[in-house]
Amino acid sequence: MPFPFVERDALERELQYSATDFPGTTSESEWNGLLEHALKAASERVEGYVDDQDWRDEDATVPYVVRGVVIRLARQRIAGIREDGISSEDLVSGAGYDYRPPQAVRDEVKDTLEEAGYRTGDEEFWSVSL
Protein backbone atom coordinates (compact mmCIF):
# COMPACT_ATOMS: atom_id res chain seq x y z
CA MET A 1 0.00 0.00 0.00
CA PRO A 2 1.25 3.47 -0.72
CA PHE A 3 2.34 5.59 2.20
CA PRO A 4 0.59 6.53 4.51
CA PHE A 5 -0.76 3.19 5.66
CA VAL A 6 -4.39 4.32 6.07
CA GLU A 7 -6.62 6.25 3.70
CA ARG A 8 -7.95 9.64 4.77
CA ASP A 9 -11.57 8.46 4.44
CA ALA A 10 -10.90 5.55 6.80
CA LEU A 11 -9.52 7.92 9.43
CA GLU A 12 -12.41 10.34 9.02
CA ARG A 13 -14.91 7.52 9.69
CA GLU A 14 -13.09 6.83 12.98
CA LEU A 15 -13.27 10.41 14.25
CA GLN A 16 -15.92 11.59 16.69
CA TYR A 17 -15.78 15.09 15.27
CA SER A 18 -15.77 16.84 11.92
CA ALA A 19 -14.31 19.92 10.27
CA THR A 20 -17.08 22.06 11.84
CA ASP A 21 -15.58 21.28 15.25
CA PHE A 22 -12.30 22.94 14.22
CA PRO A 23 -13.02 26.64 13.68
CA GLY A 24 -9.50 27.22 12.33
CA THR A 25 -10.12 25.01 9.30
CA THR A 26 -12.04 27.16 6.89
CA SER A 27 -12.15 24.85 3.89
CA GLU A 28 -12.48 21.22 3.00
CA SER A 29 -8.94 21.22 1.63
CA GLU A 30 -7.58 22.49 4.98
CA TRP A 31 -9.49 19.76 6.83
CA ASN A 32 -8.23 17.11 4.42
CA GLY A 33 -4.70 18.47 4.80
CA LEU A 34 -4.97 18.17 8.58
CA LEU A 35 -6.10 14.55 8.30
CA GLU A 36 -3.38 13.66 5.78
CA HIS A 37 -0.68 15.26 7.92
CA ALA A 38 -1.83 13.29 10.97
CA LEU A 39 -1.86 10.04 8.96
CA LYS A 40 1.62 10.61 7.54
CA ALA A 41 3.07 11.40 10.98
CA ALA A 42 1.44 8.33 12.53
CA SER A 43 2.53 6.08 9.64
CA GLU A 44 6.12 7.29 9.90
CA ARG A 45 6.11 6.55 13.62
CA VAL A 46 4.83 3.03 13.19
CA GLU A 47 7.08 2.30 10.21
CA GLY A 48 10.15 3.33 12.20
CA TYR A 49 9.45 0.93 15.05
CA VAL A 50 8.39 -2.37 13.56
CA ASP A 51 10.61 -5.18 12.30
CA ASP A 52 8.43 -6.85 9.67
CA GLN A 53 7.97 -4.50 6.76
CA ASP A 54 7.21 -6.85 3.88
CA TRP A 55 3.78 -5.21 3.86
CA ARG A 56 5.42 -1.88 2.96
CA ASP A 57 5.59 -2.83 -0.73
CA GLU A 58 3.31 -0.92 -3.11
CA ASP A 59 1.10 -3.97 -3.82
CA ALA A 60 1.05 -5.41 -0.30
CA THR A 61 -1.82 -5.16 2.15
CA VAL A 62 -1.06 -3.35 5.40
CA PRO A 63 -1.88 -5.62 8.36
CA TYR A 64 -5.06 -4.80 10.24
CA VAL A 65 -3.18 -4.25 13.51
CA VAL A 66 -0.88 -1.70 11.86
CA ARG A 67 -3.81 0.14 10.31
CA GLY A 68 -5.49 0.21 13.72
CA VAL A 69 -2.54 1.72 15.57
CA VAL A 70 -1.97 4.30 12.81
CA ILE A 71 -5.59 5.41 13.18
CA ARG A 72 -5.24 5.60 16.96
CA LEU A 73 -2.08 7.70 16.75
CA ALA A 74 -3.54 9.99 14.08
CA ARG A 75 -6.77 10.40 16.02
CA GLN A 76 -4.81 11.34 19.15
CA ARG A 77 -2.76 13.85 17.18
CA ILE A 78 -5.92 15.57 15.91
CA ALA A 79 -7.56 15.45 19.35
CA GLY A 80 -4.47 17.15 20.77
CA ILE A 81 -5.31 20.22 18.71
CA ARG A 82 -8.60 20.60 20.56
CA GLU A 83 -7.52 19.29 23.96
CA ASP A 84 -5.63 22.20 25.50
CA GLY A 85 -5.81 20.81 29.03
CA ILE A 86 -9.47 19.86 29.12
CA SER A 87 -10.80 16.37 29.74
CA SER A 88 -14.14 16.53 27.91
CA GLU A 89 -16.37 18.89 25.94
CA ASP A 90 -19.49 19.16 23.82
CA LEU A 91 -18.67 19.77 20.18
CA VAL A 92 -20.30 22.11 17.67
CA SER A 93 -21.57 19.11 15.73
CA GLY A 94 -23.58 18.04 18.78
CA ALA A 95 -21.30 15.17 19.74
CA GLY A 96 -19.53 14.92 23.07
CA TYR A 97 -15.91 13.92 23.42
CA ASP A 98 -13.78 12.69 26.31
CA TYR A 99 -10.05 13.27 25.86
CA ARG A 100 -7.49 10.70 26.93
CA PRO A 101 -3.93 11.44 27.99
CA PRO A 102 -1.54 10.98 25.03
CA GLN A 103 0.66 8.62 27.08
CA ALA A 104 -2.31 6.28 27.60
CA VAL A 105 -2.81 6.04 23.83
CA ARG A 106 0.92 5.47 23.23
CA ASP A 107 0.96 2.72 25.88
CA GLU A 108 -1.98 0.98 24.20
CA VAL A 109 -0.34 1.25 20.78
CA LYS A 110 2.91 -0.18 22.15
CA ASP A 111 1.05 -3.09 23.77
CA THR A 112 -0.92 -3.76 20.58
CA LEU A 113 2.24 -3.90 18.46
CA GLU A 114 3.98 -6.15 20.99
CA GLU A 115 1.01 -8.53 21.18
CA ALA A 116 0.94 -8.74 17.38
CA GLY A 117 4.59 -9.77 17.35
CA TYR A 118 6.09 -6.53 16.07
CA ARG A 119 9.24 -5.20 17.66
CA THR A 120 8.46 -1.82 19.12
CA GLY A 121 11.97 -0.39 18.84
CA ASP A 122 13.58 2.17 21.06
CA GLU A 123 11.70 2.96 24.26
CA GLU A 124 12.50 6.64 23.70
CA PHE A 125 9.90 6.59 20.91
CA TRP A 126 7.12 5.96 23.40
CA SER A 127 8.03 8.88 25.64
CA VAL A 128 8.05 11.47 22.83
CA SER A 129 4.84 13.43 22.44
CA LEU A 130 2.61 12.79 19.45
Side-chain angles (χ1 to χ4, degrees):
M1 162 167 201
F3 191 79
F5 302 137
V6 177
E7 301 82 14
R8 186 183 67 233
D9 293 343
L11 171 61
E12 198 163 17
R13 285 190 300 271
E14 295 287 333
L15 297 176
Q16 293 179 319
Y17 33 77
S18 67
T20 60
D21 296 313
F22 289 79
T25 55
T26 57
S27 70
E28 184 176 342
S29 65
E30 286 180 322
W31 173 246
N32 290 337
L34 174 69
L35 298 180
E36 288 171 7
H37 178 73
L39 282 172
K40 286 178 184 177
S43 295
E44 286 174 0
R45 248 189 200 226
V46 170
E47 181 182 42
Y49 293 93
V50 296
D51 278 338
D52 178 14
Q53 294 196 23
D54 57 350
W55 44 267
R56 180 63 175 90
D57 296 332
E58 186 76 23
D59 297 328
T61 301
V62 177
Y64 179 77
V65 69
V66 172
R67 291 175 53 81
V69 298
V70 166
I71 287 172
R72 286 159 72 182
L73 289 171
R75 189 171 46 212
Q76 178 62 43
R77 184 178 190 92
I78 294 168
I81 295 169
R82 296 208 37 97
E83 227 170 60
D84 197 24
I86 59 177
S87 60
S88 66
E89 69 178 319
D90 293 325
L91 303 176
V92 174
S93 64
Y97 189 77
D98 293 323
Y99 295 108
R100 299 179 56 225
Q103 189 60 49
V105 175
R106 287 191 297 270
D107 289 344
E108 288 176 8
V109 165
K110 177 183 173 185
D111 292 344
T112 299
L113 289 171
E114 286 177 350
E115 289 171 10
Y118 293 104
R119 182 181 69 83
T120 57
D122 187 352
E123 288 298 315
E124 181 179 318
F125 161 77
W126 302 109
S127 63
V128 175
S129 72
L130 297 172

Coordinates of all heavy atoms in Angstrom, one line a residue, residues 53-130:
Q53 N 8.5 -5.5 7.6 CA 8.0 -4.5 6.8 C 7.7 -5.0 5.4 O 7.7 -4.3 4.4 CB 8.9 -3.3 6.7 CG 8.9 -2.6 8.1 CD 9.6 -1.2 7.9 OE1 9.6 -0.6 6.9 NE2 10.0 -0.7 9.0
D54 N 7.5 -6.3 5.2 CA 7.2 -6.9 3.9 C 5.9 -6.3 3.4 O 5.6 -6.3 2.2 CB 7.2 -8.4 3.9 CG 6.3 -9.0 4.8 OD1 5.7 -8.3 5.7 OD2 6.1 -10.2 4.7
W55 N 5.0 -5.8 4.2 CA 3.8 -5.2 3.9 C 3.9 -3.8 3.4 O 3.0 -3.1 3.0 CB 2.8 -5.2 5.0 CG 3.4 -4.8 6.3 CD1 3.9 -5.6 7.3 CD2 3.5 -3.5 6.8 NE1 4.3 -4.9 8.3 CE2 4.1 -3.6 8.1 CE3 3.2 -2.2 6.3 CZ2 4.4 -2.4 8.9 CZ3 3.5 -1.1 7.1 CH2 4.1 -1.2 8.3
R56 N 5.2 -3.3 3.4 CA 5.4 -1.9 3.0 C 5.5 -1.8 1.4 O 5.4 -0.7 0.9 CB 6.7 -1.4 3.6 CG 7.2 0.0 3.3 CD 6.2 1.0 3.8 NE 6.6 2.4 3.6 CZ 6.4 3.1 2.5 NH1 5.7 2.6 1.5 NH2 6.8 4.3 2.4
D57 N 5.6 -2.9 0.7 CA 5.6 -2.8 -0.7 C 4.3 -2.2 -1.3 O 3.2 -2.3 -0.7 CB 5.8 -4.2 -1.3 CG 7.1 -4.8 -0.9 OD1 8.1 -4.1 -0.7 OD2 7.2 -6.1 -0.8
E58 N 4.4 -1.6 -2.5 CA 3.3 -0.9 -3.1 C 2.1 -1.8 -3.3 O 1.0 -1.4 -3.1 CB 3.8 -0.4 -4.5 CG 2.7 0.4 -5.2 CD 2.7 1.8 -4.7 OE1 3.6 2.3 -4.1 OE2 1.6 2.4 -4.9
D59 N 2.2 -3.1 -3.6 CA 1.1 -4.0 -3.8 C 0.7 -4.8 -2.6 O -0.3 -5.5 -2.7 CB 1.5 -4.9 -4.9 CG 1.7 -4.2 -6.3 OD1 1.1 -3.2 -6.5 OD2 2.5 -4.7 -7.0
A60 N 1.4 -4.6 -1.5 CA 1.0 -5.4 -0.3 C -0.1 -4.8 0.5 O -0.4 -3.6 0.3 CB 2.3 -5.5 0.6
T61 N -0.8 -5.6 1.3 CA -1.8 -5.2 2.2 C -1.2 -4.9 3.5 O -0.6 -5.7 4.1 CB -2.9 -6.2 2.3 OG1 -3.4 -6.5 1.0 CG2 -4.0 -5.8 3.2
V62 N -1.5 -3.7 4.1 CA -1.1 -3.4 5.4 C -1.9 -4.2 6.4 O -3.1 -4.2 6.3 CB -1.3 -1.9 5.7 CG1 -0.9 -1.5 7.1 CG2 -0.5 -1.0 4.7
P63 N -1.2 -4.8 7.4 CA -1.9 -5.6 8.4 C -2.9 -4.8 9.1 O -2.7 -3.6 9.4 CB -0.8 -6.1 9.3 CG 0.5 -6.0 8.5 CD 0.3 -4.8 7.6
Y64 N -4.0 -5.4 9.5 CA -5.1 -4.8 10.2 C -4.6 -4.1 11.5 O -4.9 -3.0 11.8 CB -6.1 -5.8 10.6 CG -7.3 -5.3 11.4 CD1 -8.3 -4.5 10.7 CD2 -7.4 -5.5 12.7 CE1 -9.3 -4.0 11.4 CE2 -8.4 -5.0 13.5 CZ -9.4 -4.2 12.8 OH -10.4 -3.7 13.5
V65 N -3.7 -4.8 12.3 CA -3.2 -4.2 13.5 C -2.4 -3.0 13.3 O -2.5 -2.0 14.0 CB -2.4 -5.3 14.3 CG1 -1.0 -5.6 13.6 CG2 -2.1 -4.8 15.7
V66 N -1.6 -2.9 12.2 CA -0.9 -1.7 11.9 C -1.8 -0.6 11.5 O -1.7 0.6 11.9 CB 0.1 -2.0 10.7 CG1 0.8 -0.7 10.3 CG2 1.2 -3.0 11.2
R67 N -2.8 -0.9 10.7 CA -3.8 0.1 10.3 C -4.5 0.7 11.6 O -4.7 1.9 11.7 CB -4.9 -0.4 9.4 CG -4.3 -0.8 8.0 CD -5.3 -1.4 7.1 NE -6.6 -0.7 6.9 CZ -6.8 0.3 6.1 NH1 -5.8 0.7 5.4 NH2 -8.0 0.9 6.1
G68 N -4.8 -0.2 12.5 CA -5.5 0.2 13.7 C -4.7 1.1 14.6 O -5.2 2.2 15.1
V69 N -3.4 0.8 14.7 CA -2.5 1.7 15.6 C -2.3 3.0 14.9 O -2.1 4.1 15.5 CB -1.2 1.0 16.0 CG1 -1.5 -0.2 16.9 CG2 -0.3 0.7 14.9
V70 N -2.2 3.0 13.5 CA -2.0 4.3 12.8 C -3.2 5.2 13.0 O -3.0 6.4 13.3 CB -1.7 4.1 11.3 CG1 -1.8 5.3 10.5 CG2 -0.3 3.4 11.1
I71 N -4.4 4.6 12.9 CA -5.6 5.4 13.2 C -5.6 6.0 14.6 O -5.9 7.1 14.8 CB -6.9 4.6 12.9 CG1 -7.0 4.4 11.4 CG2 -8.1 5.2 13.5 CD1 -8.1 3.4 10.9
R72 N -5.2 5.1 15.6 CA -5.2 5.6 17.0 C -4.3 6.7 17.2 O -4.6 7.7 17.8 CB -4.9 4.4 17.9 CG -6.1 3.5 18.0 CD -5.8 2.1 18.5 NE -5.4 2.0 19.8 CZ -5.1 0.9 20.4 NH1 -5.0 -0.2 19.7 NH2 -4.8 0.9 21.7
L73 N -3.1 6.6 16.6 CA -2.1 7.7 16.8 C -2.5 9.0 16.0 O -2.4 10.1 16.6 CB -0.7 7.2 16.2 CG 0.0 6.2 17.1 CD1 1.3 5.7 16.3 CD2 0.4 6.8 18.4
A74 N -3.1 8.8 14.8 CA -3.5 10.0 14.1 C -4.7 10.7 14.8 O -4.8 11.9 14.9 CB -3.9 9.6 12.7
R75 N -5.6 9.9 15.3 CA -6.8 10.4 16.0 C -6.3 11.2 17.3 O -6.8 12.3 17.5 CB -7.7 9.3 16.4 CG -9.0 9.7 16.9 CD -10.0 8.6 17.1 NE -9.4 7.4 17.7 CZ -9.7 6.2 17.5 NH1 -10.7 5.9 16.6 NH2 -9.2 5.2 18.1
Q76 N -5.3 10.6 18.0 CA -4.8 11.3 19.2 C -4.1 12.6 18.8 O -4.3 13.7 19.5 CB -3.8 10.4 19.9 CG -3.2 11.1 21.1 CD -4.2 11.5 22.2 OE1 -5.1 10.7 22.5 NE2 -4.1 12.7 22.7
R77 N -3.4 12.6 17.6 CA -2.8 13.9 17.2 C -3.8 15.0 16.9 O -3.6 16.1 17.2 CB -1.9 13.5 15.9 CG -1.1 14.7 15.4 CD -0.3 14.3 14.2 NE 0.7 15.3 13.9 CZ 1.9 15.3 14.3 NH1 2.4 14.4 15.1 NH2 2.7 16.3 14.0
I78 N -4.9 14.6 16.2 CA -5.9 15.6 15.9 C -6.6 16.0 17.2 O -6.9 17.2 17.4 CB -6.9 15.0 14.9 CG1 -6.2 14.8 13.6 CG2 -8.1 15.9 14.7 CD1 -6.9 13.9 12.6
A79 N -6.9 15.1 18.1 CA -7.6 15.4 19.4 C -6.7 16.4 20.1 O -7.2 17.3 20.8 CB -7.8 14.2 20.2
G80 N -5.4 16.3 20.0 CA -4.5 17.1 20.8 C -4.6 18.6 20.4 O -4.3 19.5 21.2
I81 N -5.1 18.9 19.2 CA -5.3 20.2 18.7 C -6.4 20.9 19.5 O -6.4 22.0 19.9 CB -5.7 20.3 17.2 CG1 -4.5 19.8 16.4 CG2 -6.1 21.6 16.8 CD1 -4.8 19.5 14.9
R82 N -7.4 20.1 19.8 CA -8.6 20.6 20.6 C -8.4 20.5 22.1 O -9.1 21.3 22.8 CB -9.8 19.8 20.2 CG -10.2 19.9 18.7 CD -11.6 19.7 18.4 NE -12.5 20.3 19.4 CZ -13.1 21.5 19.3 NH1 -12.8 22.3 18.3 NH2 -14.0 21.8 20.2
E83 N -7.6 19.6 22.5 CA -7.5 19.3 24.0 C -7.2 20.5 24.9 O -8.0 20.8 25.7 CB -6.4 18.3 24.1 CG -6.8 17.1 25.0 CD -5.7 16.1 24.9 OE1 -4.6 16.3 25.2 OE2 -6.1 15.0 24.5
D84 N -6.1 21.0 24.7 CA -5.6 22.2 25.5 C -6.0 22.1 27.0 O -6.5 23.0 27.6 CB -6.2 23.5 24.9 CG -5.5 24.7 25.3 OD1 -4.4 24.6 25.7 OD2 -6.2 25.8 25.3
G85 N -5.7 21.0 27.6 CA -5.8 20.8 29.0 C -7.2 20.4 29.5 O -7.4 20.3 30.7
I86 N -8.1 20.2 28.7 CA -9.5 19.9 29.1 C -9.7 18.4 29.0 O -8.9 17.7 28.3 CB -10.6 20.6 28.3 CG1 -10.5 20.3 26.8 CG2 -10.5 22.1 28.6 CD1 -11.6 20.9 26.0
S87 N -10.6 17.8 29.8 CA -10.8 16.4 29.7 C -12.0 15.9 28.9 O -12.1 14.8 28.5 CB -10.9 15.8 31.2 OG -12.0 16.4 31.8
S88 N -13.0 16.9 28.7 CA -14.1 16.5 27.9 C -14.8 17.8 27.5 O -14.6 18.9 28.0 CB -15.1 15.7 28.7 OG -15.7 16.4 29.7
E89 N -15.6 17.7 26.4 CA -16.4 18.9 25.9 C -17.5 18.4 25.0 O -17.5 17.3 24.5 CB -15.4 19.9 25.2 CG -14.9 19.3 23.9 CD -14.0 20.3 23.2 OE1 -14.4 21.5 23.2 OE2 -13.0 19.9 22.6
D90 N -18.4 19.4 24.8 CA -19.5 19.2 23.8 C -19.0 19.9 22.6 O -18.6 21.0 22.6 CB -20.8 19.7 24.3 CG -21.4 19.0 25.5 OD1 -21.2 17.7 25.5 OD2 -22.0 19.6 26.4
L91 N -19.2 19.2 21.4 CA -18.7 19.8 20.2 C -19.8 20.5 19.4 O -21.0 20.3 19.6 CB -18.1 18.6 19.3 CG -17.0 17.8 20.0 CD1 -16.6 16.7 19.1 CD2 -15.8 18.7 20.3
V92 N -19.4 21.3 18.5 CA -20.3 22.1 17.7 C -21.3 21.2 16.9 O -22.4 21.5 16.8 CB -19.5 23.0 16.7 CG1 -20.5 23.7 15.7 CG2 -18.7 24.0 17.4
S93 N -20.8 20.0 16.5 CA -21.6 19.1 15.7 C -22.6 18.4 16.6 O -23.5 17.7 16.1 CB -20.7 18.0 15.1 OG -20.0 17.3 16.1
G94 N -22.6 18.7 17.9 CA -23.6 18.0 18.8 C -23.1 16.8 19.5 O -23.7 16.3 20.4
A95 N -21.9 16.3 19.1 CA -21.3 15.2 19.7 C -20.6 15.6 21.0 O -20.2 16.8 21.2 CB -20.3 14.5 18.8
G96 N -20.4 14.7 21.9 CA -19.5 14.9 23.1 C -18.2 14.1 22.9 O -18.2 13.1 22.2
Y97 N -17.2 14.6 23.6 CA -15.9 13.9 23.4 C -15.2 13.9 24.7 O -15.1 15.0 25.4 CB -15.1 14.6 22.3 CG -13.8 13.8 22.0 CD1 -13.9 12.7 21.1 CD2 -12.6 14.2 22.4 CE1 -12.8 12.0 20.8 CE2 -11.5 13.5 22.1 CZ -11.6 12.4 21.3 OH -10.4 11.6 21.0
D98 N -14.7 12.8 25.1 CA -13.8 12.7 26.3 C -12.4 12.5 25.8 O -12.1 11.6 25.0 CB -14.2 11.5 27.2 CG -15.5 11.7 27.8 OD1 -15.8 12.8 28.2 OD2 -16.3 10.7 28.0
Y99 N -11.5 13.4 26.3 CA -10.1 13.3 25.9 C -9.3 12.3 26.8 O -9.6 12.2 27.9 CB -9.4 14.6 25.9 CG -10.0 15.6 24.9 CD1 -10.8 16.7 25.3 CD2 -9.8 15.4 23.6 CE1 -11.3 17.5 24.4 CE2 -10.3 16.3 22.6 CZ -11.1 17.3 23.1 OH -11.6 18.2 22.2
R100 N -8.3 11.6 26.2 CA -7.5 10.7 26.9 C -6.1 11.2 26.9 O -5.6 11.8 25.9 CB -7.6 9.3 26.3 CG -9.0 8.8 26.3 CD -9.1 7.5 25.7 NE -8.2 6.5 26.3 CZ -7.5 5.7 25.6 NH1 -7.5 5.6 24.3 NH2 -6.7 4.8 26.2
P101 N -5.3 11.0 28.0 CA -3.9 11.4 28.0 C -3.1 10.8 26.9 O -3.3 9.6 26.6 CB -3.4 11.0 29.3 CG -4.6 10.7 30.2 CD -5.7 10.3 29.2
P102 N -2.3 11.6 26.1 CA -1.5 11.0 25.0 C -0.7 9.8 25.4 O -0.6 8.8 24.7 CB -0.6 12.1 24.6 CG -1.4 13.4 25.0 CD -2.1 13.0 26.3
Q103 N -0.2 9.8 26.7 CA 0.7 8.6 27.1 C -0.2 7.3 27.2 O 0.3 6.3 26.9 CB 1.3 8.9 28.4 CG 2.4 7.8 28.8 CD 3.5 7.7 27.8 OE1 4.1 8.7 27.3 NE2 3.8 6.5 27.4
A104 N -1.4 7.5 27.5 CA -2.3 6.3 27.6 C -2.5 5.7 26.2 O -2.5 4.5 26.0 CB -3.7 6.7 28.2
V105 N -2.7 6.5 25.2 CA -2.8 6.0 23.8 C -1.5 5.4 23.4 O -1.5 4.3 22.8 CB -3.2 7.2 22.9 CG1 -3.3 6.7 21.4 CG2 -4.6 7.7 23.3
R106 N -0.4 6.0 23.6 CA 0.9 5.5 23.2 C 1.2 4.1 23.9 O 1.6 3.2 23.3 CB 2.1 6.4 23.6 CG 2.1 7.6 22.6 CD 3.4 8.5 22.8 NE 3.5 9.0 24.1 CZ 3.1 10.2 24.4 NH1 2.4 11.0 23.6 NH2 3.3 10.7 25.7
D107 N 0.8 4.0 25.2 CA 1.0 2.7 25.9 C 0.1 1.6 25.2 O 0.6 0.5 25.1 CB 0.6 2.9 27.4 CG 1.6 3.7 28.1 OD1 2.8 3.9 27.6 OD2 1.3 4.1 29.3
E108 N -1.1 2.0 24.9 CA -2.0 1.0 24.2 C -1.4 0.6 22.8 O -1.5 -0.6 22.5 CB -3.4 1.5 24.0 CG -4.2 1.6 25.3 CD -5.5 2.3 25.1 OE1 -5.9 2.5 24.0 OE2 -6.2 2.6 26.1
V109 N -0.9 1.5 22.1 CA -0.3 1.3 20.8 C 0.9 0.3 20.9 O 1.0 -0.6 20.2 CB 0.0 2.6 20.0 CG1 0.9 2.3 18.9 CG2 -1.2 3.3 19.6
K110 N 1.7 0.6 21.9 CA 2.9 -0.2 22.1 C 2.5 -1.6 22.5 O 3.0 -2.6 21.9 CB 3.7 0.4 23.3 CG 4.9 -0.4 23.7 CD 5.6 0.2 24.9 CE 6.7 -0.7 25.4 NZ 7.3 -0.2 26.6
D111 N 1.5 -1.8 23.4 CA 1.0 -3.1 23.8 C 0.4 -3.8 22.6 O 0.7 -5.0 22.4 CB 0.0 -3.0 24.9 CG 0.6 -2.5 26.2 OD1 1.8 -2.5 26.4 OD2 -0.2 -2.1 27.1
T112 N -0.3 -3.1 21.8 CA -0.9 -3.8 20.6 C 0.1 -4.3 19.6 O 0.0 -5.4 19.1 CB -1.8 -2.8 19.9 OG1 -2.9 -2.3 20.8 CG2 -2.5 -3.4 18.6
L113 N 1.2 -3.5 19.4 CA 2.2 -3.9 18.5 C 3.0 -5.1 19.0 O 3.4 -6.0 18.3 CB 3.2 -2.7 18.2 CG 2.6 -1.6 17.3 CD1 3.6 -0.5 17.2 CD2 2.3 -2.2 15.9
E114 N 3.3 -5.0 20.3 CA 4.0 -6.2 21.0 C 3.2 -7.4 20.9 O 3.7 -8.5 20.6 CB 4.3 -5.8 22.4 CG 5.4 -4.8 22.6 CD 5.7 -4.4 24.0 OE1 4.9 -4.7 24.9 OE2 6.7 -3.7 24.2
E115 N 1.9 -7.3 21.2 CA 1.0 -8.5 21.2 C 0.9 -9.1 19.8 O 0.7 -10.3 19.6 CB -0.4 -8.2 21.7 CG -0.4 -7.9 23.2 CD -1.7 -7.4 23.7 OE1 -2.7 -7.3 22.9 OE2 -1.8 -7.0 24.8
A116 N 1.0 -8.3 18.8 CA 0.9 -8.7 17.4 C 2.3 -9.3 16.9 O 2.4 -9.8 15.8 CB 0.5 -7.6 16.5
G117 N 3.3 -9.2 17.7 CA 4.6 -9.8 17.4 C 5.5 -8.8 16.6 O 6.5 -9.2 16.1
Y118 N 5.2 -7.5 16.7 CA 6.1 -6.5 16.1 C 7.0 -6.0 17.1 O 6.6 -5.7 18.3 CB 5.3 -5.4 15.5 CG 4.4 -5.8 14.3 CD1 3.1 -5.9 14.4 CD2 5.0 -6.0 13.1 CE1 2.3 -6.3 13.4 CE2 4.3 -6.3 12.0 CZ 2.9 -6.5 12.1 OH 2.2 -6.9 11.1
R119 N 8.3 -5.8 16.7 CA 9.2 -5.2 17.7 C 8.9 -3.7 17.7 O 8.6 -3.1 16.7 CB 10.7 -5.3 17.1 CG 11.7 -4.8 18.0 CD 13.1 -4.9 17.4 NE 13.3 -4.0 16.3 CZ 13.6 -2.7 16.3 NH1 13.7 -2.2 17.5 NH2 13.7 -2.0 15.2
T120 N 8.9 -3.2 19.0 CA 8.5 -1.8 19.1 C 9.6 -0.8 19.1 O 9.4 0.4 19.3 CB 7.7 -1.7 20.4 OG1 8.5 -2.1 21.5 CG2 6.4 -2.4 20.3
G121 N 10.8 -1.3 19.0 CA 12.0 -0.4 18.8 C 12.4 0.3 20.1 O 12.1 -0.2 21.2
D122 N 13.0 1.4 20.0 CA 13.6 2.2 21.1 C 12.5 2.7 22.0 O 11.5 3.3 21.6 CB 14.4 3.3 20.4 CG 15.2 4.1 21.5 OD1 15.0 3.9 22.7 OD2 15.9 5.0 21.0
E123 N 12.7 2.5 23.3 CA 11.7 3.0 24.3 C 11.5 4.5 24.2 O 10.5 5.0 24.6 CB 12.1 2.5 25.7 CG 11.9 1.0 25.9 CD 10.4 0.6 25.8 OE1 9.5 1.3 26.3 OE2 10.2 -0.4 25.1
E124 N 12.6 5.2 23.8 CA 12.5 6.6 23.7 C 11.3 7.1 22.8 O 10.7 8.1 23.1 CB 13.8 7.2 23.1 CG 13.9 8.7 23.0 CD 15.2 9.2 22.5 OE1 16.2 8.6 22.9 OE2 15.1 10.0 21.6
F125 N 11.0 6.3 21.8 CA 9.9 6.6 20.9 C 8.6 6.8 21.7 O 7.8 7.7 21.4 CB 9.7 5.4 19.9 CG 8.4 5.4 19.3 CD1 8.1 6.3 18.2 CD2 7.5 4.4 19.6 CE1 6.8 6.2 17.6 CE2 6.2 4.4 19.0 CZ 5.9 5.3 18.0
W126 N 8.4 5.9 22.7 CA 7.1 6.0 23.4 C 7.0 7.1 24.4 O 5.9 7.4 24.8 CB 6.9 4.6 24.1 CG 7.0 3.5 23.1 CD1 8.0 2.6 22.9 CD2 6.0 3.3 22.0 NE1 7.7 1.8 21.9 CE2 6.5 2.2 21.3 CE3 4.8 3.9 21.7 CZ2 5.8 1.7 20.2 CZ3 4.2 3.4 20.6 CH2 4.7 2.3 19.8
S127 N 8.1 7.8 24.7 CA 8.0 8.9 25.6 C 7.9 10.2 24.9 O 7.7 11.2 25.5 CB 9.3 8.9 26.6 OG 10.4 9.1 25.8
V128 N 8.1 10.2 23.6 CA 8.0 11.5 22.8 C 6.6 11.8 22.5 O 5.8 10.9 22.2 CB 8.8 11.3 21.5 CG1 8.7 12.5 20.6 CG2 10.3 11.0 21.8
S129 N 6.2 13.1 22.7 CA 4.8 13.4 22.4 C 4.4 13.2 21.0 O 5.3 13.2 20.1 CB 4.6 14.9 22.8 OG 5.2 15.7 21.9
L130 N 3.2 13.0 20.8 CA 2.6 12.8 19.5 C 2.7 14.1 18.7 O 2.5 14.2 17.6 CB 1.2 12.3 19.5 CG 1.0 10.9 20.2 CD1 -0.5 10.6 20.4 CD2 1.6 9.8 19.4

